[in-house]
């Protein structure tokens, strides 16, 4: 039961901090998303993210910070096995399933619902 509580409050804290960042700054949402992914990469490189994921589970691994950490792990493993070229292919290999799922489900949702432009 405590795993669920930790996932809830850590994920909620991440979301609340991002909401504050969105409300208090003039940063556009796309830039905030890039900032989150880059922060996940940096935290993964500094070995600060794995203990957070172990503590909070999905509360830490599902947000965009987790995507950045996944990219970092893929690049690190590809560089270890393939050398310099791993910098360019590791991130694609590690995140390909998630990106493919987002594209496929987004396309299916666009077939089911009628998207409208904001006026």
């Amino acid at each position: 039961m405590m795993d669920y509580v930790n996932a809830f409050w850590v994920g909620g804290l991440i979301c609340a901090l991002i909401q504050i960042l969105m409300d208090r700054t003039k940063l556009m949402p796309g830039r905030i998303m890039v900032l989150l992914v880059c922060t996940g990469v940096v935290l993964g490189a500094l070995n600060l993210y794995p203990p957070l994921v172990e503590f909070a589970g999905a509360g830490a691994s599902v947000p965009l910070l987790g995507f950045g950490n996944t990219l970092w792990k893929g690049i690190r493993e590809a560089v270890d096995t393939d050398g310099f070229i791993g910098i360019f292919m590791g991130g694609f290999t590690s995140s390909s399933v998630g990106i493919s799922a987002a594209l496929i489900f987004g396309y299916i949702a666009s077939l089911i619902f009628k998207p409208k432009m904001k006026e």
Side-chain angles (χ1 to χ4, degrees):
M1 181 66 177
M2 213 48 203
D3 291 338
Y4 296 117
V5 172
N6 289 338
F8 178 78
W9 77 261
V10 170
L13 180 64
I14 292 169
C15 291
L17 291 173
I18 299 309
Q19 187 64 49
I20 292 169
L21 185 66
M22 290 175 71
D23 291 343
R24 301 288 178 168
T25 67
K26 293 182 180 182
L27 290 174
M28 299 300 287
R31 291 186 181 186
I32 292 174
M33 290 170 51
V34 170
L35 179 68
L36 285 169
V37 172
C38 292
T39 302
V41 170
V42 170
L43 290 174
L46 296 174
N47 282 330
L48 297 174
Y49 205 73
L52 180 63
V53 171
E54 188 174 324
F55 174 74
S61 64
V62 172
L64 283 173
L65 291 169
F67 180 70
N69 186 49
T70 300
L71 290 174
W72 164 250
K73 287 193 302 190
I75 291 170
R76 187 185 64 219
E77 291 170 7
V79 167
D80 290 343
T81 58
D82 300 324
F84 180 74
I85 195 72
I87 293 171
F88 302 104
M89 61 187 231
F92 293 115
T93 305
S94 66
S95 63
S96 61
V97 173
I99 293 171
S100 298
L103 289 172
I104 290 167
F105 292 125
Y107 179 71
I108 291 171
S110 73
L111 294 175
I112 296 170
F113 302 102
K114 294 194 181 244
K116 297 177 186 171
M117 295 298 288
K118 289 185 177 181
E119 294 180 18

